[in-house]
Amino acid sequence: EPEVTQTPSHQVTQMGQEVILRCVPISNHLYFYWYRQILGQKVEFLVSFYNNEISEKSEIFDDQFSVERPDGSNFTLKIRSTKLEDSAMYFCASSEALLGSATSSQYFGPGTRLLVL
Amino acid sequence: AQSVAQPEDQVNVAEGNPLTVKCTYSVSGNPYLFWYVQYPNRGLQFLLKYITGDNLVKGSYGFEAEFNKSQTSFHLKKPSALVSDSALYFCAVNSGYALNFGKGTSLLVTP
């Protein structure tokens, strides 16, 4: 069964450093998403991406964050200058279609645990 | 704003007994509702969804959920719990392109 993959599984970085989290969505999916889950809290939406541009973003997704689909398979989340509060599990997700259609389920990757020291 | 609430932090049930994990929603318009499960150190796995149609939705691993418009609820159920069902369960509702998740309910099934 196709699945979303993410690398690395864990990343430790120093405050102020740039990190890039990588995701390979399911191959025939067109919509891509990033979510995060701070330890002990609920999963929060960051950004959605379709047709090579951001379609929606939350207030969490400020200028320190960016997303890119550099080729036909990868989808990346970059944090330019990490802060302590960026420590979280970051989940990538993809869907074949928009929410509300018969094929609209979002499928999540296993996550990247980011620790900012 | 579209939101869901999971009133229970934890649900305990004995193996073989029926289980219910509660979720209520607050939306404008027709909701698209989802249940996901998260096992320790794993990502979110899709269980089931309600888009339209039958109020009783069947999903993976024997789970089902009932959409109740009058009570604005979408409770997750299983007739006979397994120890392996122990995990964190999240209810979610669509909001534009995004999913808004509840805070999660930890399900513990004891032998």
Side-chain angles (χ1 to χ4, degrees):
Chain A
E1 185 175 329
E3 57 183 19
V4 177
T5 59
Q6 291 184 242
T7 54
S9 58
H10 295 78
Q11 175 130 16
V12 181
T13 190
Q14 296 291 322
M15 189 170 57
Q17 295 296 304
E18 174 183 287
V19 295
I20 297 176
L21 310 183
R22 291 182 167 79
C23 168
V24 179
I26 294 173
S27 61
N28 64 333
H29 285 188
L30 301 176
Y31 298 81
F32 315 115
Y33 313 84
W34 283 102
Y35 292 78
R36 78 173 185 190
Q37 184 182 29
I38 295 172
L39 189 64
Q41 299 186 23
K42 67 177 186 178
V43 178
E44 301 171 293
F45 169 75
L46 293 178
V47 66
S48 61
F49 191 86
Y50 169 71
N51 200 24
N52 282 321
E53 60 183 26
I54 291 174
S55 45
E56 187 173 349
K57 60 183 181 179
S58 72
E59 58 193 24
I60 302 169
F61 194 87
D62 61 23
D63 292 343
Q64 293 299 311
F65 291 89
S66 63
V67 289
E68 191 178 27
R69 188 156 163 82
D71 52 43
S73 59
N74 290 284
F75 179 52
T76 62
L77 174 69
K78 181 193 291 186
I79 309 175
R80 262 180 272 282
S81 177
T82 50
K83 303 187 282 287
L84 296 177
E85 54 265 36
D86 293 328
S87 295
M89 179 76 92
Y90 288 80
F91 293 108
C92 174
S94 68
S95 66
E96 190 173 351
L98 274 176
L99 291 176
S101 74
T103 55
S104 63
S105 305
Q106 291 186 16
Y107 292 88
F108 284 73
T112 294
R113 186 171 295 283
L114 176 65
L115 179 61
V116 182
L117 302 176
Chain B
Q2 318 281 77
S3 66
V4 291
Q6 294 180 245
E8 303 155 317
D9 290 334
Q10 181 157 325
V11 170
N12 297 320
V13 64
E15 187 175 30
N17 284 356
L19 71 86
T20 299
V21 183
K22 295 179 180 177
C23 173
T24 58
Y25 64 87
S26 174
V27 303
S28 56
N30 295 319
Y32 305 140
L33 295 160
F34 303 80
W35 276 101
Y36 284 82
V37 60
Q38 185 179 32
Y39 296 99
N41 300 313
R42 301 283 299 278
L44 297 162
Q45 294 182 33
F46 170 76
L47 278 179
L48 53 79
K49 67 183 177 189
Y50 172 81
I51 302 296
T52 187
D54 288 341
N55 289 340
L56 186 63
V57 179
K58 294 190 183 295
S60 306
Y61 313 121
F63 283 93
E64 58 189 29
E66 185 171 10
F67 173 71
N68 188 316
K69 191 170 184 178
S70 62
Q71 297 184 4
T72 62
S73 67
F74 189 58
H75 301 330
L76 182 70
K77 300 181 180 184
K78 187 173 182 181
S80 178
L82 300 172
V83 172
S84 57
D85 292 330
S86 298
L88 193 56
Y89 290 80
F90 291 95
C91 181
V93 66
N94 69 300
S95 178
Y97 287 85
L99 285 173
N100 282 349
F101 286 87
K103 62 179 174 62
T105 298
S106 178
L107 173 67
L108 179 62
V109 181
T110 52

mmCIF file of all heavy atoms in Angstrom, chain A residues 28-33 49-50 94-107, chain B residues 34 49 96-97:
data_model
loop_
_atom_site.group_PDB
_atom_site.id
_atom_site.type_symbol
_atom_site.label_atom_id
_atom_site.label_comp_id
_atom_site.label_asym_id
_atom_site.label_seq_id
_atom_site.Cartn_x
_atom_site.Cartn_y
_atom_site.Cartn_z
ATOM 1 N N ASN A 28 0.336 9.680 -6.622
ATOM 2 C CA ASN A 28 -0.715 10.268 -7.443
ATOM 3 C C ASN A 28 -1.499 11.360 -6.710
ATOM 4 O O ASN A 28 -2.531 11.831 -7.183
ATOM 5 C CB ASN A 28 -1.672 9.181 -7.932
ATOM 6 C CG ASN A 28 -2.413 8.506 -6.800
ATOM 7 O OD1 ASN A 28 -1.908 8.452 -5.674
ATOM 8 N ND2 ASN A 28 -3.598 8.012 -7.067
ATOM 9 N N HIS A 29 -1.001 11.764 -5.547
ATOM 10 C CA HIS A 29 -1.680 12.803 -4.785
ATOM 11 C C HIS A 29 -1.265 14.184 -5.274
ATOM 12 O O HIS A 29 -0.130 14.389 -5.735
ATOM 13 C CB HIS A 29 -1.390 12.652 -3.291
ATOM 14 C CG HIS A 29 -2.136 11.523 -2.673
ATOM 15 N ND1 HIS A 29 -2.151 11.293 -1.310
ATOM 16 C CD2 HIS A 29 -2.914 10.552 -3.212
ATOM 17 C CE1 HIS A 29 -2.896 10.234 -1.054
ATOM 18 N NE2 HIS A 29 -3.364 9.774 -2.196
ATOM 19 N N LEU A 30 -2.198 15.119 -5.168
ATOM 20 C CA LEU A 30 -1.980 16.461 -5.705
ATOM 21 C C LEU A 30 -1.908 17.539 -4.622
ATOM 22 O O LEU A 30 -1.454 18.648 -4.896
ATOM 23 C CB LEU A 30 -3.114 16.816 -6.672
ATOM 24 C CG LEU A 30 -3.295 15.872 -7.870
ATOM 25 C CD1 LEU A 30 -4.504 16.299 -8.682
ATOM 26 C CD2 LEU A 30 -2.033 15.866 -8.747
ATOM 27 N N TYR A 31 -2.382 17.222 -3.423
ATOM 28 C CA TYR A 31 -2.449 18.205 -2.343
ATOM 29 C C TYR A 31 -1.515 17.757 -1.231
ATOM 30 O O TYR A 31 -1.513 16.588 -0.856
ATOM 31 C CB TYR A 31 -3.884 18.320 -1.814
ATOM 32 C CG TYR A 31 -4.868 18.807 -2.846
ATOM 33 C CD1 TYR A 31 -5.406 17.939 -3.789
ATOM 34 C CD2 TYR A 31 -5.240 20.146 -2.894
ATOM 35 C CE1 TYR A 31 -6.292 18.388 -4.745
ATOM 36 C CE2 TYR A 31 -6.132 20.603 -3.851
ATOM 37 C CZ TYR A 31 -6.649 19.719 -4.772
ATOM 38 O OH TYR A 31 -7.518 20.159 -5.729
ATOM 39 N N PHE A 32 -0.752 18.693 -0.721
ATOM 40 C CA PHE A 32 0.260 18.363 0.273
ATOM 41 C C PHE A 32 0.125 19.301 1.467
ATOM 42 O O PHE A 32 -0.267 20.465 1.310
ATOM 43 C CB PHE A 32 1.661 18.463 -0.340
ATOM 44 C CG PHE A 32 1.759 17.818 -1.697
ATOM 45 C CD1 PHE A 32 2.015 18.579 -2.825
ATOM 46 C CD2 PHE A 32 1.566 16.462 -1.835
ATOM 47 C CE1 PHE A 32 2.082 17.981 -4.070
ATOM 48 C CE2 PHE A 32 1.632 15.858 -3.084
ATOM 49 C CZ PHE A 32 1.887 16.632 -4.217
ATOM 50 N N TYR A 33 0.478 18.773 2.627
ATOM 51 C CA TYR A 33 0.228 19.506 3.862
ATOM 52 C C TYR A 33 1.372 19.274 4.846
ATOM 53 O O TYR A 33 2.022 18.234 4.832
ATOM 54 C CB TYR A 33 -1.059 18.998 4.533
ATOM 55 C CG TYR A 33 -2.240 18.841 3.605
ATOM 56 C CD1 TYR A 33 -2.397 17.682 2.844
ATOM 57 C CD2 TYR A 33 -3.199 19.844 3.495
ATOM 58 C CE1 TYR A 33 -3.486 17.528 1.987
ATOM 59 C CE2 TYR A 33 -4.288 19.687 2.649
ATOM 60 C CZ TYR A 33 -4.414 18.529 1.897
ATOM 61 O OH TYR A 33 -5.494 18.374 1.050
ATOM 62 N N PHE A 49 -0.535 22.940 0.192
ATOM 63 C CA PHE A 49 0.218 23.263 -1.031
ATOM 64 C C PHE A 49 -0.417 22.528 -2.183
ATOM 65 O O PHE A 49 -0.662 21.328 -2.113
ATOM 66 C CB PHE A 49 1.665 22.805 -0.822
ATOM 67 C CG PHE A 49 2.652 23.278 -1.849
ATOM 68 C CD1 PHE A 49 3.265 24.507 -1.711
ATOM 69 C CD2 PHE A 49 3.014 22.476 -2.924
ATOM 70 C CE1 PHE A 49 4.216 24.943 -2.627
ATOM 71 C CE2 PHE A 49 3.954 22.895 -3.845
ATOM 72 C CZ PHE A 49 4.564 24.131 -3.694
ATOM 73 N N TYR A 50 -0.710 23.273 -3.237
ATOM 74 C CA TYR A 50 -1.323 22.664 -4.414
ATOM 75 C C TYR A 50 -0.876 23.419 -5.652
ATOM 76 O O TYR A 50 -0.784 24.645 -5.636
ATOM 77 C CB TYR A 50 -2.849 22.699 -4.301
ATOM 78 C CG TYR A 50 -3.574 22.330 -5.567
ATOM 79 C CD1 TYR A 50 -3.565 21.018 -6.024
ATOM 80 C CD2 TYR A 50 -4.260 23.293 -6.310
ATOM 81 C CE1 TYR A 50 -4.219 20.669 -7.199
ATOM 82 C CE2 TYR A 50 -4.912 22.951 -7.487
ATOM 83 C CZ TYR A 50 -4.892 21.639 -7.926
ATOM 84 O OH TYR A 50 -5.539 21.290 -9.081
ATOM 85 N N SER A 94 -0.667 14.003 2.547
ATOM 86 C CA SER A 94 -1.055 14.260 1.160
ATOM 87 C C SER A 94 -2.445 13.716 0.932
ATOM 88 O O SER A 94 -2.923 12.824 1.655
ATOM 89 C CB SER A 94 -0.055 13.634 0.173
ATOM 90 O OG SER A 94 -0.093 12.226 0.198
ATOM 91 N N SER A 95 -3.114 14.260 -0.069
ATOM 92 C CA SER A 95 -4.435 13.771 -0.447
ATOM 93 C C SER A 95 -4.581 13.857 -1.951
ATOM 94 O O SER A 95 -3.954 14.692 -2.613
ATOM 95 C CB SER A 95 -5.545 14.557 0.258
ATOM 96 O OG SER A 95 -5.581 15.900 -0.166
ATOM 97 N N GLU A 96 -5.422 12.988 -2.449
ATOM 98 C CA GLU A 96 -5.642 12.926 -3.891
ATOM 99 C C GLU A 96 -6.476 14.101 -4.371
ATOM 100 O O GLU A 96 -6.297 14.607 -5.469
ATOM 101 C CB GLU A 96 -6.337 11.609 -4.232
ATOM 102 C CG GLU A 96 -6.424 11.298 -5.702
ATOM 103 C CD GLU A 96 -6.978 9.901 -5.947
ATOM 104 O OE1 GLU A 96 -7.124 9.135 -4.975
ATOM 105 O OE2 GLU A 96 -7.271 9.576 -7.093
ATOM 106 N N ALA A 97 -7.391 14.530 -3.499
ATOM 107 C CA ALA A 97 -8.313 15.600 -3.886
ATOM 108 C C ALA A 97 -8.577 16.461 -2.669
ATOM 109 O O ALA A 97 -8.052 16.231 -1.574
ATOM 110 C CB ALA A 97 -9.606 14.993 -4.417
ATOM 111 N N LEU A 98 -9.401 17.467 -2.866
ATOM 112 C CA LEU A 98 -9.759 18.354 -1.766
ATOM 113 C C LEU A 98 -10.671 17.639 -0.782
ATOM 114 O O LEU A 98 -11.421 16.746 -1.148
ATOM 115 C CB LEU A 98 -10.499 19.574 -2.293
ATOM 116 C CG LEU A 98 -9.651 20.755 -2.756
ATOM 117 C CD1 LEU A 98 -10.547 21.834 -3.338
ATOM 118 C CD2 LEU A 98 -8.821 21.305 -1.614
ATOM 119 N N LEU A 99 -10.622 18.054 0.472
ATOM 120 C CA LEU A 99 -11.527 17.529 1.477
ATOM 121 C C LEU A 99 -12.960 17.713 1.007
ATOM 122 O O LEU A 99 -13.329 18.751 0.481
ATOM 123 C CB LEU A 99 -11.325 18.251 2.804
ATOM 124 C CG LEU A 99 -10.006 17.973 3.502
ATOM 125 C CD1 LEU A 99 -9.890 18.828 4.755
ATOM 126 C CD2 LEU A 99 -9.868 16.515 3.865
ATOM 127 N N GLY A 100 -13.760 16.695 1.206
ATOM 128 C CA GLY A 100 -15.154 16.765 0.811
ATOM 129 C C GLY A 100 -15.467 15.903 -0.392
ATOM 130 O O GLY A 100 -16.622 15.642 -0.678
ATOM 131 N N SER A 101 -14.467 15.446 -1.086
ATOM 132 C CA SER A 101 -14.716 14.538 -2.194
ATOM 133 C C SER A 101 -14.512 13.102 -1.715
ATOM 134 O O SER A 101 -13.984 12.861 -0.637
ATOM 135 C CB SER A 101 -13.787 14.837 -3.365
ATOM 136 O OG SER A 101 -12.480 14.399 -3.081
ATOM 137 N N ALA A 102 -14.926 12.177 -2.549
ATOM 138 C CA ALA A 102 -14.882 10.777 -2.146
ATOM 139 C C ALA A 102 -13.467 10.282 -1.888
ATOM 140 O O ALA A 102 -13.252 9.349 -1.147
ATOM 141 C CB ALA A 102 -15.548 9.907 -3.215
ATOM 142 N N THR A 103 -12.500 10.941 -2.476
ATOM 143 C CA THR A 103 -11.103 10.490 -2.327
ATOM 144 C C THR A 103 -10.310 11.486 -1.517
ATOM 145 O O THR A 103 -9.111 11.651 -1.696
ATOM 146 C CB THR A 103 -10.454 10.302 -3.700
ATOM 147 O OG1 THR A 103 -10.594 11.522 -4.429
ATOM 148 C CG2 THR A 103 -11.105 9.170 -4.459
ATOM 149 N N SER A 104 -10.956 12.150 -0.591
ATOM 150 C CA SER A 104 -10.367 13.331 0.027
ATOM 151 C C SER A 104 -9.609 13.069 1.318
ATOM 152 O O SER A 104 -9.208 14.006 1.975
ATOM 153 C CB SER A 104 -11.469 14.331 0.327
ATOM 154 O OG SER A 104 -12.368 13.781 1.259
ATOM 155 N N SER A 105 -9.391 11.856 1.696
ATOM 156 C CA SER A 105 -8.723 11.623 2.977
ATOM 157 C C SER A 105 -7.267 12.056 2.896
ATOM 158 O O SER A 105 -6.599 11.848 1.885
ATOM 159 C CB SER A 105 -8.806 10.146 3.341
ATOM 160 O OG SER A 105 -10.138 9.718 3.343
ATOM 161 N N GLN A 106 -6.797 12.639 3.977
ATOM 162 C CA GLN A 106 -5.394 13.000 4.081
ATOM 163 C C GLN A 106 -4.643 11.839 4.724
ATOM 164 O O GLN A 106 -5.052 11.333 5.763
ATOM 165 C CB GLN A 106 -5.227 14.269 4.911
ATOM 166 C CG GLN A 106 -5.765 15.505 4.222
ATOM 167 C CD GLN A 106 -5.485 16.794 4.978
ATOM 168 O OE1 GLN A 106 -4.649 16.849 5.865
ATOM 169 N NE2 GLN A 106 -6.209 17.843 4.616
ATOM 170 N N TYR A 107 -3.558 11.456 4.093
ATOM 171 C CA TYR A 107 -2.727 10.366 4.590
ATOM 172 C C TYR A 107 -1.431 10.950 5.125
ATOM 173 O O TYR A 107 -0.757 11.722 4.440
ATOM 174 C CB TYR A 107 -2.470 9.338 3.487
ATOM 175 C CG TYR A 107 -3.737 8.609 3.114
ATOM 176 C CD1 TYR A 107 -4.584 9.108 2.135
ATOM 177 C CD2 TYR A 107 -4.105 7.443 3.785
ATOM 178 C CE1 TYR A 107 -5.764 8.459 1.819
ATOM 179 C CE2 TYR A 107 -5.288 6.789 3.470
ATOM 180 C CZ TYR A 107 -6.111 7.304 2.491
ATOM 181 O OH TYR A 107 -7.289 6.666 2.189
ATOM 182 N N PHE B 34 -13.653 13.166 10.497
ATOM 183 C CA PHE B 34 -12.653 12.121 10.344
ATOM 184 C C PHE B 34 -12.235 11.595 11.712
ATOM 185 O O PHE B 34 -12.286 12.308 12.715
ATOM 186 C CB PHE B 34 -11.398 12.672 9.643
ATOM 187 C CG PHE B 34 -11.661 13.286 8.294
ATOM 188 C CD1 PHE B 34 -12.167 14.570 8.182
ATOM 189 C CD2 PHE B 34 -11.388 12.574 7.141
ATOM 190 C CE1 PHE B 34 -12.419 15.140 6.947
ATOM 191 C CE2 PHE B 34 -11.635 13.142 5.894
ATOM 192 C CZ PHE B 34 -12.152 14.424 5.799
ATOM 193 N N LYS B 49 -14.170 8.217 7.715
ATOM 194 C CA LYS B 49 -14.622 9.591 7.485
ATOM 195 C C LYS B 49 -16.113 9.598 7.204
ATOM 196 O O LYS B 49 -16.684 8.609 6.728
ATOM 197 C CB LYS B 49 -13.876 10.205 6.310
ATOM 198 C CG LYS B 49 -14.193 9.557 4.966
ATOM 199 C CD LYS B 49 -13.382 10.161 3.841
ATOM 200 C CE LYS B 49 -13.674 9.436 2.524
ATOM 201 N NZ LYS B 49 -12.762 9.843 1.448
ATOM 202 N N GLY B 96 -11.521 24.533 5.395
ATOM 203 C CA GLY B 96 -10.801 24.884 4.183
ATOM 204 C C GLY B 96 -9.973 23.703 3.707
ATOM 205 O O GLY B 96 -10.467 22.589 3.587
ATOM 206 N N TYR B 97 -8.698 23.945 3.490
ATOM 207 C CA TYR B 97 -7.805 22.872 3.067
ATOM 208 C C TYR B 97 -7.337 22.016 4.241
ATOM 209 O O TYR B 97 -6.774 20.940 4.049
ATOM 210 C CB TYR B 97 -6.565 23.467 2.392
ATOM 211 C CG TYR B 97 -6.819 24.024 1.020
ATOM 212 C CD1 TYR B 97 -7.293 25.314 0.847
ATOM 213 C CD2 TYR B 97 -6.557 23.254 -0.105
ATOM 214 C CE1 TYR B 97 -7.526 25.822 -0.422
ATOM 215 C CE2 TYR B 97 -6.775 23.767 -1.379
ATOM 216 C CZ TYR B 97 -7.256 25.046 -1.524
ATOM 217 O OH TYR B 97 -7.469 25.540 -2.780
#
